[in-house]
Structures are given as C-alpha cells and as structure tokens.
Amino acid sequence: MALIRIRSLATLLALSGWLAALPAAAQIPCPDPAPHPPVSARISPPQPCNGDPVRLVFEACGPCVDLVGAGIGREGIFVHATRDDRDCLLKICERDSLDVALGTFAAGHHFLRWKVFTEQTFHGGSGDSMMCAYVHEDSLRFDVSPSCGTPVDSLPYVRNVW
C-alpha cells in the first residue's frame, strides 16, 4: 500500500472534495444464505479394507471452480476453492481434483468432517465485481471392511447353491 503524505490542510480539503465527486461504485451484495460450494468428496479406495491407506478426494468442475489446496491443518481437514462466475458461462466441465492422505483405518464405521473455504467472485453488468468468502462444513461416512478378497473356494456374490 502506498503511503501519501499531505503537507497542508488546503491539499487535504482539495483531495477530499475530489474524492467525494467521484461516482460511487455499485455494490453487488454477497448472496445470503451462502451458496453450497461446488466441491464434492469421496473416499479412495471406494471400499477400503483394514490397514489400507485411505485418501479423501475432493472434486470440482473447472474452469468454473479451481481447487487451490487441500490438507490437514490445526482445525482439521480443509479444501480451498475459488470460483468466478465469468468462467461458468460455458457448460464445460474439466475435472479438477485434489486429495488428502488420511492414513490407515481400523475395520468399522468412520465419520469424517472437513471445511470448504470458497472465494467466489460475482460480476455485475456494469463491470463491477464483488468477491465473497464462505466457509462451509461437510461430512462423509464410510466403512472399512475387516478383510478383503474372496476365498479361493467360493464364488463372488453367491451365498447358497441349491
């Protein structure tokens, strides 16, 4: 930021009059309630087994949404996304994804919670714009199997043979 030193009261008054004469920029209000972030999440692998390394994969459609970063911080799992409504005009979806390594999980039911930080830019008809920042919490439940694989002497999906 530039620092301007004003040497006299007359200069200050002249500047304030000039600034007051400028047209006020139209304000685009941020939507309330905040829009749901256009980011989805899934576990990889889709059906983990006891001791398998598990990843949380975040996905979005580019160029409308850009996944900037994801990780595990002091407050838990997070993903950071930016969205610009000018980039959403075409119905093109270039898959964008980021993943976070979560480590291994024991067999059983599990619940994950994360935060999505979204910076969304809205543009008005007269060239003005507004950047709005949102935080959204999301969650996912998944199961980890105690063992994987099919025994050699059985057929997959067959429970009984008559």
Side-chain angles (χ1 to χ4, degrees), residues 27 48 137 144:
Q27 289 287 326
E137 289 189 6
V144 174

Side-chain angles (χ1 to χ4, degrees), residues 9 14 22 28 31 34 37-38 42 47 66 68 70 72 78 80 85 89 92 97-98 106 116 120 123 126 134 154 160:
L9 181 60
L22 289 175
I28 301 171
R42 63 180 171 81
Q47 297 174 339
D66 184 26
V68 178
I72 302 175
F78 69 90
H80 178 199
D85 65 353
L89 299 177
I92 297 174
S97 67
L98 288 174
V116 180
Q120 186 163 357
H123 297 271
S126 61
Y134 303 106
S154 69
N160 293 321

Side-chain angles (χ1 to χ4, degrees), residues 27-38:
Q27 289 287 326
I28 301 171
C30 290
D32 188 24
H36 190 277

Side-chain angles (χ1 to χ4, degrees), residues 17-122:
W18 175 75
L19 290 173
L22 289 175
Q27 289 287 326
I28 301 171
C30 290
D32 188 24
H36 190 277
V39 176
S40 63
R42 63 180 171 81
I43 289 294
S44 178
Q47 297 174 339
C49 298
N50 187 27
D52 283 350
V54 175
R55 301 181 89 68
L56 181 60
V57 181
F58 296 104
E59 298 176 317
C61 276
C64 184
V65 178
D66 184 26
L67 296 178
V68 178
I72 302 175
R74 290 187 330 197
E75 295 184 26
I77 303 168
F78 69 90
V79 62
H80 178 199
T82 60
R83 180 177 180 163
D84 191 325
D85 65 353
R86 289 180 302 186
D87 297 332
C88 299
L89 299 177
L90 300 174
K91 300 293 183 200
I92 297 174
C93 179
E94 298 170 0
R95 299 305 290 169
D96 188 10
S97 67
L98 288 174
D99 60 80
V100 176
L102 301 176
T104 59
F105 287 80
H109 307 293
H110 297 276
F111 179 77
L112 292 176
R113 178 174 287 147
W114 62 89
K115 291 183 180 181
V116 180
F117 298 94
T118 307
E119 295 174 358
Q120 186 163 357
T121 304
F122 297 93

Side-chain angles (χ1 to χ4, degrees), residues 120-152:
Q120 186 163 357
T121 304
F122 297 93
H123 297 271
S126 61
D128 50 344
S129 64
M130 170 68 76
M131 198 281 290
C132 303
Y134 303 106
V135 177
H136 178 80
E137 289 189 6
D138 212 338
S139 62
L140 172 71
R141 294 182 188 280
F142 67 100
D143 293 321
V144 174
S145 300
S147 64
C148 286
T150 304
V152 178

